[in-house]
Amino acid sequence: MPNYKAPLEDMRFVLHELFDGKTIAQLPGCAEFTPELMDSVLEAGGQFTAEVLFPLNQKGDLEGCTWEGGAVRTPEGFKAAYEGFRAGGWTAMACAPEFGGQGMPVALSTFVEEMMCSANMAFGLYPGLTHGAYLALYHHGSEALKRLYLPKLVSGEWAGTMCLTEPHCGTDLGMLRTRAVPQADGSFSVTGNKIFISAGEHDLTENIIHLVLARLPDAPAGVKGISLFVVPKFLPDADGGVGARNGVMCTAIEHKMGIKASATCAMAFEGAQGWIVGEPHKGLRAMFTMMNTERLSVGIQGLGVAEVAYQNAVAYARERIQGRSLTGVKAPDKQADPILVHPDVRRMLLTMRAYIEGCRALSGWVARQVDVLQRVEDEETRAEADDFTALLTPVVKALFTDLGFEAASLAMQCYGGHGYIRDHGMEQYVRDARISMLYEGTNGIQALDLVGRKLPQDGGRLMTRFLDPVLEFIEANGAEEMQPFVAPLQAAVEHLQMATGHVMEAAMSNYDEIGAASVEYLRLFGLVALGFMWARMAKIALPKAGTPFYRAKLGTARFYMQRLLPQTGALLAVIEAGAAVMMEFEDADF
Amino acid sequence: MPNYKAPLEDMRFVLHELFDGKTIAQLPGCAEFTPELMDSVLEAGGQFTAEVLFPLNQKGDLEGCTWEGGAVRTPEGFKAAYEGFRAGGWTAMACAPEFGGQGMPVALSTFVEEMMCSANMAFGLYPGLTHGAYLALYHHGSEALKRLYLPKLVSGEWAGTMCLTEPHCGTDLGMLRTRAVPQADGSFSVTGNKIFISAGEHDLTENIIHLVLARLPDAPAGVKGISLFVVPKFLPDADGGVGARNGVMCTAIEHKMGIKASATCAMAFEGAQGWIVGEPHKGLRAMFTMMNTERLSVGIQGLGVAEVAYQNAVAYARERIQGRSLTGVKAPDKQADPILVHPDVRRMLLTMRAYIEGCRALSGWVARQVDVLQRVEDEETRAEADDFTALLTPVVKALFTDLGFEAASLAMQCYGGHGYIRDHGMEQYVRDARISMLYEGTNGIQALDLVGRKLPQDGGRLMTRFLDPVLEFIEANGAEEMQPFVAPLQAAVEHLQMATGHVMEAAMSNYDEIGAASVEYLRLFGLVALGFMWARMAKIALPKAGTPFYRAKLGTARFYMQRLLPQTGALLAVIEAGAAVMMEFEDADF
């Protein structure tokens, strides 16, 4: 049986130390979020996720969800855990105080999200989707819709969903067929079939509020004819409570590789009553408000699963004795040495660790910029934060989930054959982590978003929001003791700059160069971003290297620079190879 | 539902064209194996695996094996399929004619194995383990034991197992505790517990013959005190038929991530009657006879799963329409283009394809050398083949299974969210493929075997068996048309030579340098080996590029050289980083 303990010390490091002592409390509306308060939130989050959610993780996987006559039963214990989650105020974390939210900065709530994903990723999807629905309504709903739904979503009494995908279209939403016909009372009659709807039906809440993409009768073809509707499972009654059943049904749940405790639903809307959110035909934009947040959240799933997998791999490597160190017996009192003595086991553990702590730091940077974007009044500062988060969102989503899956697989490898056995729990992490590379836009789509949309936008302005601070840091840290970190970072940044120049130029004559380079480019970008985080962490750790925490930081930073960052050179070579070798391949020859 | 069709054309290419027209029939004892006969074997194998084994694959995964009171039931249809497999003579393929075998060269039987792994990897484990037991007895058993057991194993009437692992020891067999006490009649009484025994118990055959590692009472400690015993489930009666039940029981089966139709058994030996195979205390050497063959077979599992995953990803990419090509509409008659138009989808497909066909070619080379080793009389030729197969065995095992898992995961990625859904069958390939990186020695252990044992052996002689033909090929193929293949190969070989020099020198002062470099070194070696295969394939394809098969070969060769082989540079950099960064990391800091 695996274990989990929230990595509070590292989270505190990112919150309080990493970003040059700029405190969260300086942000507008965040005065109460002192380091002390944030630490106590982290501790409470760590306790709840470890003690309540984590013990349900394996059981939830084993039991899964059950569909019967349109109803979905979540695994035993999920409902009680959800009640505890609600009672603890966790559904209200990053919501607006005017609707009952706690107004918590994203820089803090992201860490609680990470804990939730470590402890029980499948459980986390239920409140996760609700928060997505909250955001879409909060940013695009009418005042009446907000007053009606937001307090219930914030308190967690009601849950939410995002209904985008249809059987014939996922990535290409322009093809969607669900229709919404205006009614005399100003509402709409929504009809169509949706699939892959996480939390589409379940027994955790008395009502479920679906955010549904559909077409109006006069809608233009393609993505410019899509509108967003709110369609509750039960219509609110006059007092805002649960009223009549609406015409939306869960017709089946999917049998999946993992996240089995999360109900993935096929939904049938049959003349269901709904209300438009935002303007007609502008639904995709509204949906992207929640999609972008969801994409960051999915990235955090990768990080969360990697963390719990790492913790258990370390524990196993300490206790499993097998063979002797090649440089002489290390545990003479035992029949064999713990496998932690073997360089290859350390390689696997440090690879996971360097990715995890690098990603956690990067998630802290991005979350702070989300907070700036949401809270700071100065237009220019907000615009810069907007650029930065737009640029980094696909990177966080794809990089963290790719690395999360790799880390889970490495953790399993540390267990040898035992990793393949269900009881140890490691194989569940591999199965659960795998979905995060697919949903909310496959990682290939994220890479296209980065290279095809974000990079060329406004003459490459977005990229400068990332590169400028990196180049400034390199410039400012020429001291010899920083060379082991700054020199490899500089080499990697040069690879990134060359790759950027190559792709942008090649794409001018052939758009296929974008798709040909995109996945490797995103990985290269992500490795540089983690490299920057590691260089910054090393700088903080250097003068404190006498303390174990900082000593480990420095050691992990060196590992990252020497053994992981060198990948950038090969990625550049592959990017420069270009599209021709793929596009010249005849269709019939595959 | 997925599909499978044996890749006969590519197999024929490897058999008949790749190795300079040297035919299998020229080998001693292989005169009857003309190209025509081999083609008909391939066709029959393709038909049986596709029509009989493949339809049971998803069902077998869903149903799994069932344990009840010591008996194990395989999934519905497995017994009938096994009967067909036996009746077709497939259990006898690569066995000696004197015991009823067909004397088929390994160069041919390997391809049938590959088909079996594509069609139904879990099924393939039952005859696979039987063949391992056959080999151990064939090479090390007494004449009496051979006469008693081999005909039954060859015909498939009886099945076999390898019983190595115990709960506290897998890699480190020196710790094993199972004991064998000599009896007055010359037999032994075997007592102990084994785990992870594939096919340890099942309902496919009337008897199961266990090859068991155990210690004699006077055994020295460690690996030099291990002997090998044959312990049948039912003792043979006077006529060689099934007699009294022996004291060996299956106490449980494991619940695993995948290969659920393969029974992974915990076995209890309680005074079971057994007979020694080979000399006392020399059991590990005997067991390695079958381990090495099994390691090649496990590599083929990775290849087989990758092939079927690739085939289905291609089919899906052709039929799934979603979005439009960035360079303009390609299927104007449809609402969207097939996703095959997107460079990133092609990147995924060609990555799988280049690895698969490269591995298949390499498996052909290694299999031929196994045939030389087993059949040629000339000592020197045999010694060279022995070196070569010893060197390549860990590479085939680890490289093919790492790439098999990567390919299965890429194939799943081509399906988007649909890949995560059970019905499509892709997620099963990811789960099934994952075990091959763990069993028969984890891939980390393979890498240690390569770098720690095979490389330094006899002053590096083994390595020359691989490098010499590669360097000769490069030397002999300086023509301009070969440059796109030979130049990248040469660069990669230089990386390999530098890495070899670095590791061997560094290891002289610190053995931990071996473990620190081993996994990256094996990957680098493997990429060079595939690069050599691709250069050879390109050479054959160049003059025939007007034909689709050869045109595709050339295109895939170019893809491999431009987009996959460049990884070697980064691998060299990581190898040169050395062990210090991992070993200096304090134990307590993990």
Side-chain angles (χ1 to χ4, degrees):
Chain A
M1 298 279 284
N3 287 293
Y4 173 66
K5 197 168 163 284
L8 298 181
E9 195 173 9
D10 199 47
M11 289 175 169
R12 285 195 298 260
F13 170 77
V14 175
L15 267 180
H16 309 320
E17 284 196 83
L18 182 57
F19 299 104
D20 306 327
K22 281 187 197 140
T23 66
I24 302 284
Q26 290 163 348
L27 282 169
C30 287
E32 64 178 306
F33 289 98
T34 60
E36 294 69 31
L37 177 69
M38 292 199 289
D39 286 356
S40 64
V41 169
L42 288 181
E43 251 176 66
Q47 195 176 355
F48 183 83
T49 52
E51 292 176 8
V52 178
L53 300 185
F54 184 68
L56 296 175
N57 188 49
Q58 276 188 291
K59 288 198 274 187
D61 178 64
L62 200 55
E63 186 184 336
C65 288
T66 325
W67 182 94
E68 208 184 314
V72 172
R73 197 173 65 238
T74 56
E76 199 189 324
F78 269 51
K79 181 146 177 60
Y82 183 78
E83 283 309 314
F85 190 77
R86 252 170 47 68
W90 300 109
T91 55
M93 270 194 303
C95 300
E98 58 181 307
F99 298 107
Q102 301 189 6
M104 199 182 278
V106 175
L108 176 58
S109 65
T110 293
F111 286 143
V112 180
E113 266 188 58
E114 186 204 308
M115 295 175 194
M116 205 156 48
C117 297
S118 289
N120 197 324
M121 179 174 153
F123 177 92
L125 285 169
Y126 295 97
L129 270 294
T130 300
H131 192 64
Y134 160 86
L135 286 172
L137 278 172
Y138 180 76
H139 289 288
H140 302 281
S142 66
E143 277 309 308
L145 288 178
K146 287 198 212 181
R147 277 196 310 275
L148 192 56
Y149 291 108
L150 290 187
K152 300 279 196 187
L153 292 173
V154 170
S155 71
E157 276 172 275
W158 293 358
T161 76
M162 297 164 58
C163 298
L164 287 72
T165 305
E166 299 182 4
H168 64 291
C169 71
T171 299
D172 186 0
L173 288 171
M175 293 199 285
L176 77 79
R177 294 178 190 150
T178 298
R179 301 181 60 240
V181 179
Q183 306 297 297
D185 64 355
S187 72
F188 293 81
S189 171
V190 178
T191 301
N193 293 301
K194 298 284 182 179
I195 61 167
F196 297 171
I197 309 308
S198 295
E201 180 59 61
H202 56 77
D203 54 4
L204 300 182
T205 55
E206 59 177 18
N207 202 2
I208 300 172
I209 311 306
H210 304 287
L211 274 285
V212 185
L213 290 184
R215 285 183 188 287
L216 292 167
D218 62 342
V223 291
K224 288 177 179 163
I226 298 174
S227 308
L228 181 63
F229 300 87
V230 57
V231 182
K233 175 179 170 188
F234 290 98
L235 299 166
D237 65 14
D239 307 322
V242 168
R245 187 72 164 83
N246 202 357
V248 49
M249 284 285 292
C250 172
T251 55
I253 57 174
E254 304 287 351
H255 298 284
K256 311 184 299 294
M257 183 187 204
I259 54 163
K260 296 191 183 204
S262 165
T264 305
C265 301
M267 305 296 295
F269 295 83
E270 292 172 2
Q273 194 174 12
W275 290 267
I276 196 162
V277 178
E279 291 171 56
H281 317 319
K282 299 269 171 72
L284 214 58
R285 242 188 66 209
M287 192 58 109
F288 260 96
T289 304
M290 64 200 266
M291 280 290 277
N292 277 328
T293 308
E294 290 295 322
R295 284 177 174 181
L296 291 173
S297 291
V298 172
I300 299 302
Q301 290 169 7
L303 169 58
V305 176
E307 169 68 32
V308 68
Y310 169 75
Q311 289 186 17
N312 285 284
V314 168
Y316 190 79
R318 282 192 206 291
E319 94 204 2
R320 175 76 172 175
I321 61 167
Q322 204 78 184
R324 290 294 186 187
S325 162
L326 287 180
T327 57
V329 172
K330 297 292 185 293
D333 53 322
K334 296 196 177 110
Q335 212 189 341
D337 290 333
I339 61 171
L340 187 62
V341 304
H342 301 302
D344 187 52
V345 172
R346 289 169 167 258
R347 175 191 65 81
M348 294 192 278
L349 294 176
L350 283 169
T351 300
M352 291 179 241
R353 185 186 182 105
Y355 283 143
I356 288 166
E357 294 183 6
C359 287
R360 185 174 294 126
L362 185 58
S363 81
W365 189 16
V366 175
R368 274 175 183 248
Q369 293 296 305
V370 172
D371 284 326
V372 166
L373 176 62
Q374 290 178 357
R375 293 170 185 271
V376 170
E377 293 215 353
D378 178 61
E379 285 282 345
E380 201 183 310
T381 311
R382 277 229 319 277
E384 285 182 18
D386 197 16
D387 283 355
F388 181 84
T389 51
L391 183 71
L392 267 294
T393 294
V395 177
V396 167
K397 196 283 183 181
L399 180 77
F400 288 24
T401 59
D402 278 352
L403 297 182
F405 180 67
E406 286 175 36
S409 186
L410 278 174
M412 184 178 184
Q413 195 71 18
C414 291
Y415 276 70
H418 294 272
Y420 203 68
I421 306 299
R422 198 171 64 194
D423 288 352
H424 287 287
M426 305 310 283
E427 60 91 30
Q428 184 188 348
Y429 295 133
V430 177
R431 289 186 289 106
D432 284 356
R434 188 64 183 78
I435 185 60
S436 60
M437 298 158 69
L438 293 165
Y439 62 14
E440 304 299 340
T442 66
N443 286 0
I445 292 297
Q446 306 301 322
L448 267 187
D449 178 44
L450 174 66
V451 181
R453 296 181 61 237
K454 304 295 170 61
L455 273 197
Q457 205 171 308
D458 297 313
R461 190 190 64 221
L462 274 56
M463 189 64 176
T464 64
R465 308 298 191 205
F466 169 75
L467 274 183
D468 286 353
V470 179
L471 296 172
E472 278 163 31
F473 182 90
I474 292 172
E475 177 79 25
N477 289 279
E480 200 186 326
E481 55 174 12
M482 279 298 288
Q483 279 314 296
F485 311 102
V486 166
L489 176 62
Q490 181 157 18
V493 170
E494 281 163 18
H495 292 153
L496 179 60
Q497 290 173 313
M498 289 163 74
T500 310
H502 169 83
V503 176
M504 289 301 103
E505 197 186 318
M508 284 198 285
S509 55
N510 180 3
Y511 285 150
D512 274 337
E513 294 290 347
I514 293 168
S518 52
V519 163
E520 278 88 3
Y521 183 91
L522 187 147
R523 176 61 70 104
L524 170 51
F525 187 123
L527 289 173
V528 170
L530 299 189
F532 180 43
M533 292 297 104
W534 273 115
R536 290 183 72 155
M537 292 194 274
K539 188 182 178 185
I540 297 167
L542 267 172
K544 303 181 183 177
T547 330
F549 177 82
Y550 298 99
R551 181 178 66 205
K553 272 276 174 243
L554 262 187
T556 314
R558 279 193 291 264
F559 181 87
Y560 184 81
M561 296 299 170
Q562 292 177 33
R563 307 217 26 138
L564 299 176
L565 196 53
Q567 294 169 60
T568 56
L571 289 165
L572 174 62
V574 172
I575 289 165
E576 289 178 341
V581 76
M582 292 177 287
M583 303 318 291
E584 284 166 10
F585 204 88
E586 307 255 351
D587 287 13
D589 288 352
F590 276 100
Chain B
M1 296 281 286
N3 287 294
Y4 172 67
K5 196 167 164 286
L8 298 181
E9 195 172 11
D10 199 48
M11 290 175 168
R12 284 195 297 260
F13 171 77
V14 174
L15 267 180
H16 307 321
E17 283 196 83
L18 182 58
F19 299 106
D20 307 325
K22 281 187 195 139
T23 66
I24 302 284
Q26 290 162 349
L27 282 169
C30 287
E32 62 178 308
F33 289 96
T34 60
E36 295 69 31
L37 177 69
M38 292 198 289
D39 287 356
S40 64
V41 170
L42 289 181
E43 251 176 67
Q47 194 176 355
F48 184 82
T49 52
E51 291 175 10
V52 179
L53 300 185
F54 184 68
L56 297 175
N57 189 49
Q58 277 188 291
K59 289 197 275 187
D61 177 63
L62 200 56
E63 186 184 336
C65 288
T66 324
W67 182 94
E68 208 184 312
V72 171
R73 197 173 66 237
T74 56
E76 200 190 324
F78 268 51
K79 182 148 176 59
Y82 183 77
E83 283 309 315
F85 190 78
R86 252 170 48 69
W90 299 111
T91 56
M93 272 194 302
C95 300
E98 57 181 305
F99 298 106
Q102 301 189 7
M104 200 182 279
V106 175
L108 176 59
S109 64
T110 293
F111 286 143
V112 180
E113 266 188 58
E114 186 205 308
M115 296 174 194
M116 205 157 49
C117 297
S118 290
N120 196 326
M121 176 173 157
F123 178 93
L125 285 168
Y126 296 98
L129 270 295
T130 301
H131 193 63
Y134 160 87
L135 286 172
L137 279 171
Y138 180 77
H139 289 289
H140 303 282
S142 66
E143 277 310 308
L145 288 178
K146 288 201 221 183
R147 277 196 308 275
L148 192 54
Y149 291 107
L150 290 187
K152 301 280 195 185
L153 292 173
V154 170
S155 70
E157 277 173 275
W158 294 358
T161 77
M162 296 165 58
C163 298
L164 288 72
T165 305
E166 299 182 4
H168 63 291
C169 71
T171 301
D172 185 1
L173 288 172
M175 294 198 285
L176 77 77
R177 294 177 190 151
T178 298
R179 301 181 60 239
V181 180
Q183 306 296 297
D185 63 357
S187 73
F188 293 81
S189 170
V190 178
T191 301
N193 293 301
K194 298 283 181 180
I195 60 167
F196 297 171
I197 307 308
S198 295
E201 180 59 63
H202 55 77
D203 55 5
L204 299 183
T205 55
E206 60 176 20
N207 203 1
I208 300 172
I209 311 306
H210 305 287
L211 275 284
V212 185
L213 290 184
R215 285 184 187 289
L216 292 167
D218 62 344
V223 291
K224 290 180 178 159
I226 298 174
S227 307
L228 181 63
F229 301 87
V230 57
V231 182
K233 176 179 168 187
F234 290 98
L235 299 166
D237 65 17
D239 306 323
V242 167
R245 186 73 165 83
N246 202 356
V248 49
M249 283 285 290
C250 172
T251 54
I253 56 173
E254 304 287 351
H255 299 283
K256 312 185 296 295
M257 183 187 203
I259 52 164
K260 296 189 184 205
S262 165
T264 306
C265 302
M267 304 296 294
F269 294 84
E270 292 172 1
Q273 194 173 13
W275 289 267
I276 196 162
V277 179
E279 291 172 55
H281 317 320
K282 298 270 171 72
L284 214 56
R285 240 189 65 210
M287 192 56 108
F288 260 96
T289 304
M290 62 199 268
M291 279 289 277
N292 277 328
T293 307
E294 290 296 322
R295 285 177 174 181
L296 292 173
S297 292
V298 172
I300 299 302
Q301 291 171 8
L303 169 58
V305 175
E307 169 67 32
V308 68
Y310 169 75
Q311 288 186 16
N312 286 283
V314 168
Y316 190 77
R318 283 192 207 290
E319 93 204 6
R320 174 77 171 173
I321 62 166
Q322 205 77 184
R324 288 295 185 187
S325 162
L326 288 179
T327 56
V329 172
K330 297 291 184 294
D333 54 320
K334 297 201 176 108
Q335 212 190 339
D337 289 335
I339 61 172
L340 186 62
V341 304
H342 302 302
D344 187 52
V345 171
R346 289 167 168 257
R347 174 190 65 83
M348 294 192 279
L349 294 175
L350 283 169
T351 300
M352 291 178 239
R353 185 186 182 106
Y355 283 144
I356 289 166
E357 294 182 7
C359 287
R360 184 174 295 126
L362 185 58
S363 82
W365 190 15
V366 175
R368 275 177 183 247
Q369 292 295 307
V370 172
D371 284 327
V372 167
L373 175 62
Q374 289 178 357
R375 293 170 185 273
V376 170
E377 293 216 351
D378 177 61
E379 285 281 345
E380 201 182 313
T381 310
R382 276 228 319 278
E384 285 182 17
D386 197 17
D387 284 355
F388 181 84
T389 52
L391 182 71
L392 268 294
T393 294
V395 176
V396 167
K397 196 281 184 182
L399 180 77
F400 286 24
T401 60
D402 278 352
L403 297 183
F405 180 66
E406 287 174 37
S409 186
L410 278 175
M412 184 177 184
Q413 194 71 18
C414 292
Y415 275 70
H418 295 271
Y420 202 68
I421 306 299
R422 199 171 63 195
D423 287 353
H424 288 287
M426 305 309 283
E427 60 91 31
Q428 184 188 347
Y429 295 133
V430 177
R431 289 186 289 105
D432 284 356
R434 188 63 183 79
I435 185 60
S436 60
M437 298 159 68
L438 294 165
Y439 62 15
E440 302 301 339
T442 66
N443 286 0
I445 292 297
Q446 306 302 322
L448 267 186
D449 179 44
L450 174 67
V451 181
R453 295 182 61 237
K454 305 295 170 61
L455 273 197
Q457 205 171 308
D458 296 313
R461 188 191 67 221
L462 273 57
M463 190 64 176
T464 63
R465 308 297 191 207
F466 169 75
L467 274 183
D468 286 354
V470 179
L471 296 171
E472 279 162 30
F473 182 88
I474 291 172
E475 178 81 24
N477 288 279
E480 203 186 327
E481 55 175 12
M482 278 299 286
Q483 280 312 296
F485 311 102
V486 165
L489 176 62
Q490 181 158 18
V493 171
E494 281 165 17
H495 292 153
L496 178 60
Q497 288 172 315
M498 288 163 74
T500 309
H502 170 83
V503 176
M504 289 301 103
E505 196 186 318
M508 283 198 286
S509 54
N510 181 4
Y511 284 151
D512 274 337
E513 294 290 346
I514 293 167
S518 52
V519 163
E520 277 89 2
Y521 183 91
L522 186 146
R523 175 63 70 106
L524 170 51
F525 187 122
L527 289 173
V528 170
L530 299 190
F532 180 43
M533 291 299 104
W534 273 116
R536 291 183 72 154
M537 292 194 274
K539 188 181 178 186
I540 297 167
L542 267 171
K544 304 181 184 177
T547 330
F549 176 82
Y550 298 99
R551 181 178 65 203
K553 272 275 175 246
L554 261 188
T556 312
R558 278 194 293 263
F559 181 87
Y560 184 80
M561 295 298 169
Q562 292 177 33
R563 306 216 30 136
L564 299 176
L565 195 53
Q567 295 170 59
T568 56
L571 289 165
L572 174 62
V574 172
I575 289 165
E576 288 178 342
V581 76
M582 292 177 288
M583 303 319 288
E584 283 165 10
F585 203 90
E586 306 254 350
D587 287 13
D589 288 352
F590 277 100

